[in-house]
Amino acid sequence: LRHILPWTGPASTVVGVHCRGMATRLEEYVNAHGGTRVLRKILIANNGMAAAKAIMSMRQWAFLELGNARELEFVVMASKDDLEANAEFIRLGDAYVEVPPGKNVNNYANVNLIVQIAKQQGVNCVWPGWGHASENPALPLALAEAGIQFLGPTAPVMHALGDKIASTILAQSSKVPCIPWNGDGVTAEIQPDGSIPMEPFKKACLQSYEEARACAQRIGYPVVLKASEGGGGKGIRKCTTDEELKVGWEQVNAEVVGSPIFMMQLCTGARHLEVQLVGDEYGSVVSLIGRDCSTQRRFQKIFEEGPPTIADKDDFREAEKAAQRLAMSVGYRGAGTVEYLYKPATKEFFFLELNPRLQVEHPVTEGITGVNVPALQLQLGMGIPLARVPDIRRFYGLDPAADSKIDFLNDKYIYPKNHVIAARITAENPDDGFRPTSGKIERVRFQ
């Protein structure tokens, strides 16, 4: 059944279809696996591939575990552009709400709109996906106030991990190896509001060019100067001499005015490896191995593969444990990714960041672990402990129906025998400086 529900503002109300008998199997599953709440009606606060993948994955789980793919009900948001394109994710949903066109701040990244639609449609939870509002702490905060489950980390944790300086301090506080930087040795604990105490934060910030020069001479050139609030190529400079550092200091300050600034040693000859984490509300965090995302173009990943082969299994397992300790220290919930730089010559891992969301390359993880990650997010949102999720138990070679405990830091999972490679295919116009372009694909030839 599909409802066509154009967005008419917060005053309108629509009652969704609910069949009491259909919810029974889901309720029984939640109760049998130690869950605390039933989440049947889901708002997909995203579009395109992310939305389509989420619906297909959760429906597949419902069919395999509950015997009925329609146990779950999906409400999607649809802009005019997506409707005119007859986007697949709209056809996959049970209902859609038409949202304003234009930039994503008008629709998929509009926190107030997402929360209003969630209330209007009477959904039990919101799946954020990646991009758009997925890393905006205002979304989980507003949903919590409305009594609606957010399938991701809490607002304070998202806030803390969203700051490059604060997240690096938290990482080294959890004994996660970090690249030499100006904040070496600074430690702190996350506060209830998601911040860290001001004193250690200030110690990890550079206040002047003179401080920056002294740090560069201590950790050694080349260095990277960064504005913590920068992004998209802004507020970042590579410096190899004092003279370049002086110019870089002025440029970074001018590009991201008022942002705290920090410095890290440039890690050369490194690979980009990442660990896929998932945490529950009871403090457990599992590592679903990881991926090698070293092949990039214009700071965007082109090939993602797993499991990583450049690092020894034992070395990578230590990186996994360090990532788990960091996530456990901040009470991380949901799916997230810890990114590392790995130097094959020295077998050293260095922390980059923890992305507090699901990533587009998560199908690589699904392919090597057999874990349906969007469905796992949903089950954790229902309060089911990690150790009671059948996919996780299979990953550890355990009876999926049993309830024995799993020590995720020390128990060994079954290492995959297969290898998965994912590629992102994009179009660029060589006559326009290789700018990204769009249009109909006339021919594809792989050599």
Side-chain angles (χ1 to χ4, degrees):
L1 179 64
R2 172 170 283 113
H3 309 269
I4 300 177
L5 309 168
W7 174 249
T8 55
S12 69
T13 57
V14 178
V15 178
V17 173
H18 177 75
C19 178
R20 185 175 181 81
M22 288 179 66
T24 303
R25 293 193 192 97
L26 184 58
E27 292 170 353
E28 290 176 351
Y29 179 90
V30 173
N31 290 332
H33 291 83
T36 57
R37 63 190 77 89
V38 174
L39 305 178
R40 180 176 181 273
K41 194 171 184 180
I42 305 154
L43 174 63
I44 304 295
N46 214 300
N47 67 334
M49 171 191 163
K53 173 64 170 63
I55 296 172
M56 289 190 292
S57 291
M58 290 189 229
R59 284 219 191 281
Q60 180 189 48
W61 169 80
F63 177 76
L64 294 175
E65 290 288 350
L66 309 176
N68 186 353
R70 294 289 167 178
E71 283 282 351
L72 305 175
E73 183 179 345
F74 294 95
V75 178
V76 300
M77 301 164 62
S79 68
K80 181 180 178 181
D81 292 339
D82 285 326
L83 286 168
E84 291 178 348
N86 194 26
E88 182 180 14
F89 78 92
I90 301 174
R91 301 197 305 272
L92 290 171
D94 297 288
Y96 73 82
V97 177
E98 187 172 349
V99 294
K103 297 180 178 179
N104 70 350
V105 294
N106 299 330
N107 38 69
Y108 305 108
N110 188 320
V111 170
N112 291 333
L113 179 62
I114 293 169
V115 176
Q116 287 171 349
I117 292 173
K119 291 179 180 178
Q120 182 200 49
Q121 297 303 305
V123 303
N124 306 123
C125 62
V126 172
W127 185 85
W130 53 87
H132 298 313
S134 63
E135 295 184 71
N136 188 341
L139 181 57
L141 183 63
L143 289 172
E145 292 173 352
I148 299 171
Q149 196 74 16
F150 177 73
L151 300 184
T154 60
V157 171
M158 190 181 289
H159 179 270
L161 297 174
D163 184 277
K164 296 180 179 67
I165 295 175
S167 62
T168 306
I169 292 174
L170 290 171
Q172 65 185 19
S173 300
S174 299
K175 309 301 182 185
V176 180
C178 297
I179 301 171
W181 68 305
N182 64 286
D184 285 338
V186 178
T187 60
E189 293 185 2
I190 190 172
Q191 304 298 296
D193 64 352
S195 66
I196 63 172
M198 188 54 65
E199 182 180 350
F201 184 84
K202 284 186 174 181
K203 286 178 66 177
C205 297
L206 295 170
Q207 307 297 332
S208 65
Y209 162 68
E210 287 72 26
E211 280 189 25
R213 183 179 61 182
C215 177
Q217 292 173 350
R218 176 179 64 83
I219 65 177
Y221 285 108
V223 299
V224 177
L225 201 60
K226 291 184 179 181
S228 68
E229 296 171 7
K234 290 186 177 180
I236 181 170
R237 288 293 184 279
K238 172 186 172 182
C239 306
T240 60
T241 65
D242 287 354
E243 291 72 22
E244 288 183 6
L245 181 62
K246 189 169 186 178
V247 174
W249 177 263
E250 299 298 331
Q251 290 174 332
V252 169
N253 272 288
E255 287 180 2
V256 191
V257 179
S259 170
I261 296 176
F262 67 108
M263 175 190 293
M264 309 182 91
Q265 187 182 73
L266 181 65
C267 191
T268 58
R271 298 283 287 266
H272 183 142
L273 306 185
E274 53 191 36
V275 174
Q276 177 67 66
L277 299 177
V278 186
D280 65 19
E281 61 188 75
Y282 309 105
S284 295
V285 177
V286 65
S287 169
L288 299 177
I289 317 182
R291 303 175 288 262
D292 186 336
C293 302
S294 301
T295 307
Q296 303 183 13
R297 174 169 168 78
R298 293 180 175 175
F299 307 108
Q300 295 294 317
K301 300 166 185 174
I302 296 178
F303 291 104
E304 301 113 2
E305 58 180 299
T309 57
I310 189 66
D312 294 337
K313 292 180 183 178
D314 292 341
D315 292 339
F316 192 78
R317 183 62 192 134
E318 290 305 312
E320 289 180 273
K321 289 182 178 180
Q324 289 174 274
R325 289 195 300 269
L326 170 59
M328 293 167 65
S329 73
V330 298
Y332 193 87
R333 299 183 189 179
T337 304
V338 170
E339 300 190 353
Y340 287 106
L341 288 177
Y342 175 67
K343 298 189 74 171
T346 59
K347 297 186 176 183
E348 292 177 290
F349 282 90
F350 299 109
F351 173 81
L352 272 181
E353 61 181 339
L354 196 166
N355 289 315
R357 56 173 171 78
L358 187 63
Q359 289 190 285
V360 64
E361 60 266 27
H362 74 273
V364 172
T365 293
E366 293 180 320
I368 61 175
T369 64
V371 176
N372 182 331
V373 180
L376 176 57
Q377 291 179 288
L378 178 63
Q379 291 173 81
L380 297 182
M382 296 184 195
I384 297 174
L386 270 170
R388 299 292 300 277
V389 176
D391 270 1
I392 297 297
R393 298 190 64 81
R394 294 186 189 100
F395 178 51
Y396 277 84
L398 301 172
D399 179 358
D403 60 359
S404 57
K405 294 182 179 180
I406 303 175
D407 182 345
F408 293 107
L409 272 177
N410 297 306
D411 290 352
K412 291 185 178 181
Y413 51 72
I414 298 177
Y415 197 82
K417 296 180 180 179
N418 61 328
H419 195 82
V420 176
I421 300 176
R424 302 191 197 188
I425 301 175
T426 59
E428 296 178 349
N429 186 349
D431 297 325
D432 190 19
F434 290 92
R435 292 182 63 184
T437 186
S438 61
K440 185 177 180 181
I441 299 174
E442 301 288 349
R443 182 179 62 184
V444 176
R445 182 179 180 183
F446 295 104
Q447 292 179 318

